[in-house]
Structure formats: C-alpha cells, structure tokens
Amino acid sequence: MADKKTAPDGPHEFGFETRAIHAGARPDAETGARVTPIHQNTSYVFESAEHAADLFNLQTFGFIYSRLTNPTVSVLEERLANLEGGRAAVCAASGHAAQFLTMFTLLEPGDSFIASKNLYGGSITQFGHSFKKLGWTCHFVDPTPEEFQRALAAHPGAKCIFLEALANPGGLVVDLEPVAEIAHAAGIPLIVDNTLATPYLLRPFDWGADIVVHSTTKFLSGHANSMGGAVIESGKFDWAASGKFPGMCTPDPAYHGLTFHETFGDFGFTMKARAVALRDFGPSMAPMNAFLTITGTETLALRMDRHVQNAQAVAEFLEGHPAVSWVSYAGLKSSPWHALAKKYLPKGAGAVFTFGLKGGYQAGIKCVETVDLFSHLANVGDTRSLIIHPASTTHRQLTEEQQIAAGAGPDVVRLSVGLETADDLIRDLDKALAG
Ligand code: PLP
C-alpha cells in the first residue's frame, strides 16, 4: 500500500519518512529548540481557577500532571497515531502496560475475549493468568479466520479479538482482513499488537483493525535503551452501535456523568484509556523514554528496510545450512505464510524468526554460547543482532510437550536480526553451527 499519494494538482499527502520525522513535533515556542525537549516535569501551572476546573472536567485540553499527559510524551503519541493512520494514541510505561490499559478500558469483570495462541509468551501469561484475577477470561485459538469464527460461536459474549499480525516468535502472519470482518459482524473490535511489524511494514487499520497496541521497547525505539508502549485507536469503531461496551457509552460517575463515546466521538476510547485507566493505575511513559523513542521513530523506515534485508539474507543462509532442519521466516518461499506476507507485508516480513537445529537441545545451547556478534539475551528489535534458545531460558519452566506447543521446542533458536553487515552475521552463525 502506497504511503504517499501525490497528484500534481491534487492535495499532497506527506510520505511515511517525512511523517516519521515531523509528525507531532514543532520547534519549541519559547526557545526555538528544534529537537523535542525532554519535559522532565511532573506538573503544570493553571492559568486560573476556572482553567483548572475545565482541565479536571475534561472540558479543555492541556497539561495537569505527568501521570496523565506530558508534553514530550504527547509528541510521541501524536506521531505514532499519525504513522499508524489512526485518530489518537496514549503511551504507556511498557507494551504490557499498553495491553492492560486497552483491556481495562474495554472489559468489565466477568467479561471474556478471544486471543491468538501465537503471541509473545509474556502476553500469554498476562492474558491467561494475571487477567484472570481481574475477572477477565481469555480464550486462546489458532489465529485463522475459521478458528476465530468458531471461538466467537462458542463464546458469543466475547468483547474483542486480540492478535499479533506478525507473531513473536515464529514469524507467523495472520490473515487480518477476514478476521476484522468476523469481529465486526459480531460487533466487537479487532486489536492488533503491531510490535514486530511496526507501521512501516504493516498498518493494521488499513485492513480493518480498530485498535493497535505496541511495545515501543522494540523496533520503534529501536536501540534497546527505553521501555514503552502505546495504544492507538482508528476512530472508526462505533461503540454505541455495538451495544456491548457500557463503559464507553454510559455516564461515568468519576467525571460527573460524562459519556466518553458521546463526548469525544472518534477518540473516546483513547480519552477513556487515559482519563480513567492511566489516571487510576499510573503506568505512564517516562519523558526520557518518550524522547528516546521519538528519536528512534525518525529513522524507523531506514532501519526497518535494513533489518528486513539482513533477516532475509540470514534466513536464506540458514535454510541452506546442513545443521539446520527448518527456518520459519515468512520472507522465504518455503514458508506457509509467504503468500500472506506478500499481501500484508510487501516491504518485508520483519526481522524476528526461529529456526530448528538437527542437533536438538545441546546444539541450541552450543549455538548461543559460540556466537560472538549475536548477543544472547531476551529481547527483540535492537540495532544489535540477538539470539536466544527459548527451551533453556524463557520457556524452561514448561514441559517439553508445552514447549513444542508454544513453538519453543528443544531444537528451536530465535533470532532478532540487527543492522550489522549481513556477511558478518552469517559468518558468526556459520562458526556457531560448525560440527
Ligand atoms: N508484544 C510483543 C510482540 C513483544 O515482543 C513484547 C515484548 O517482548 C511485548 C508485547 C511486551 O512489551 P514490553 O516488554 O515493552 O512490556
């Protein structure tokens, strides 16, 4: 999908790269500072008692206290909403905090939702265990349109579908368009975790998603130096027509009976996520982390192009290596998700994927211990190339059967391919895989 449509005599729409550098930011009005300043500041002076009252009643926009809004964080929020093609965004302390804010805004105690089985392991734990304590039940399914349809028939009260379009860690791609149609036919929103693709490779709103969440900790900040998360709404979901979201459509006693959908229309969800969930639970993004993430977004397009190029080269090398039994990268023609990747990720299938070693568990251990350039650690989306053997680390508490079901069997190694010279990465892996 073209990011830039320019007709010589028609309206001009800025391209992705331009927006990644400029959206949401302007020179500082007081000082002229060109780079967005770090507003390392908790609170903001009211102009008058009336101004203070209006701010607290949500009758005017402005800054009160940095748990709710902060000028540096606001720039990032506007930029991410712009890059995703959404209406509004709220940032959070981490990706998990963003997921919590989203679900707290949508769900009531006793509610359920449907999620893909192929999620980052931490999300499976958050949804399956911690959310249970809040009275929310998650039904996990294989992320195909048929399975989502079946799950909705079995759980007609479910309040949303949640998935990773490009999934961590197996590099699986979900057929977003029909899943969005299935969610909408049931009157519920589709929520997409777009962390691994980023809006440069995939814009879920273009395919019918209603809410996008991010761990900005990964490719958006891009340099493994700041935690963060974001929730972005498309502005297109009709909460009133759905009839399933009393929290959005009935008067809120904490705001003198204000109704979020009626008052704020196409950014009512973001307003509620901020004015209730973020206010009352407090997982706000730190201004310094927003500053680092803003800097990261400025080079997102350049970095993602190189991440994808390097990942493709490394995946092709591994596919031809005698010690490797399989490679799960949607950019490879052999991948069952290659056709979906061509549709949804025409610029490339990201840079995080898994492969299997014929030598099993011991070969996996040897591989992570022998590499030099790849760093052995639990993260993805760094400029540096990263490697992990899930069975001996992130998934070691599970039985072998559970590990295999989670795509983390004893033979599996996960890579997050960085921005180094591709040939150096290939040499490093070749050495680690040698007999
Ligand atoms: N979503 C995905 C796809 C992730 O990979 C991660 C973390 O690895 C998260 C969410 C959670 O994000 P955070 O670690 O910023 O809380």
Side-chain angles (χ1 to χ4, degrees), residues 94-97 99 120 123 164 168 193 195-196 215 217-218 227-228 380:
S94 68
H96 268 14
Q99 291 170 192
Y120 160 60
S123 301
E164 287 175 25
N168 181 3
D193 179 341
T195 298
L196 291 199
S215 166
T217 314
K218 316 298 176 189
M227 297 295 297
V380 297

Side-chain angles (χ1 to χ4, degrees), residues 108-394:
E108 306 296 327
D111 276 349
S112 72
F113 66 103
I114 295 165
S116 163
K117 264 185 199 162
N118 294 81
L119 299 179
Y120 160 60
S123 301
I124 303 257
T125 310
Q126 186 191 43
F127 292 180
H129 295 281
S130 293
F131 279 5
K132 231 187 225 166
K133 293 180 83 172
L134 304 171
W136 307 332
T137 305
C138 178
H139 305 289
F140 291 103
V141 300
D142 284 325
T144 62
E146 300 72 32
E147 287 302 311
F148 283 120
Q149 186 82 69
R150 207 166 296 157
L152 273 176
H155 308 287
K159 292 292 176 70
C160 65
I161 292 177
F162 184 102
L163 55 84
E164 287 175 25
L166 176 63
N168 181 3
L172 170 152
V173 181
V174 177
D175 199 356
L176 279 183
E177 213 171 9
V179 177
E181 282 166 17
I182 289 165
H184 296 159
I188 60 173
L190 171 63
I191 306 173
V192 174
D193 179 341
N194 200 27
T195 298
L196 291 199
T198 82
Y200 180 67
L201 298 179
L202 170 71
R203 296 210 314 177
F205 294 149
D206 292 344
W207 304 101
D210 304 287
I211 295 169
V212 164
V213 295
H214 277 283
S215 166
T216 62
T217 314
K218 316 298 176 189
F219 292 100
L220 282 173
S221 65
H223 300 73
N225 57 15
S226 49
M227 297 295 297
V231 184
I232 303 154
E233 81 176 301
S234 71
K236 296 197 177 116
F237 190 81
D238 190 335
W239 304 97
S242 153
K244 295 190 170 182
F245 297 94
M248 288 299 300
C249 301
T250 50
D252 193 315
Y255 281 105
H256 307 301
L258 174 150
T259 303
F260 278 90
H261 179 59
E262 191 182 285
T263 308
F264 298 108
D266 60 2
F267 60 103
F269 181 83
T270 306
M271 283 301 288
K272 180 145 194 182
R274 182 191 307 283
V276 179
L278 191 60
R279 179 197 63 179
D280 292 349
F281 294 93
S284 321
M285 179 181 272
M288 180 69 187
N289 286 0
F291 172 82
L292 291 167
T293 308
I294 289 166
T295 307
T297 58
E298 292 175 9
T299 54
L300 182 67
L302 288 169
R303 287 187 291 105
M304 291 314 289
D305 275 338
R306 180 58 69 88
H307 274 297
V308 161
Q309 206 179 313
N310 280 359
Q312 185 75 28
V314 169
E316 283 172 14
F317 158 75
L318 289 170
E319 194 174 39
H321 197 284
V324 173
S325 42
W326 53 267
V327 182
S328 180
Y329 182 59
L332 294 175
K333 288 201 180 74
S334 58
S335 164
W337 300 294
H338 189 62
L340 285 173
K342 279 175 88 173
K343 172 173 175 178
Y344 291 107
L345 298 148
K347 291 183 192 145
V352 178
F353 66 91
T354 51
F355 65 96
L357 286 170
K358 289 181 185 159
Y361 190 91
Q362 287 310 328
I365 299 266
K366 175 176 167 278
C367 178
V368 296
E369 287 193 334
T370 314
V371 284
D372 286 319
L373 264 182
F374 279 81
S375 300
H376 181 204
L377 55 78
N379 190 26
V380 297
D382 190 346
T383 51
R384 285 151 280 262
S385 288
L386 315 175
I387 192 166
I388 197 159
H389 178 231
S392 61
T393 54
T394 50

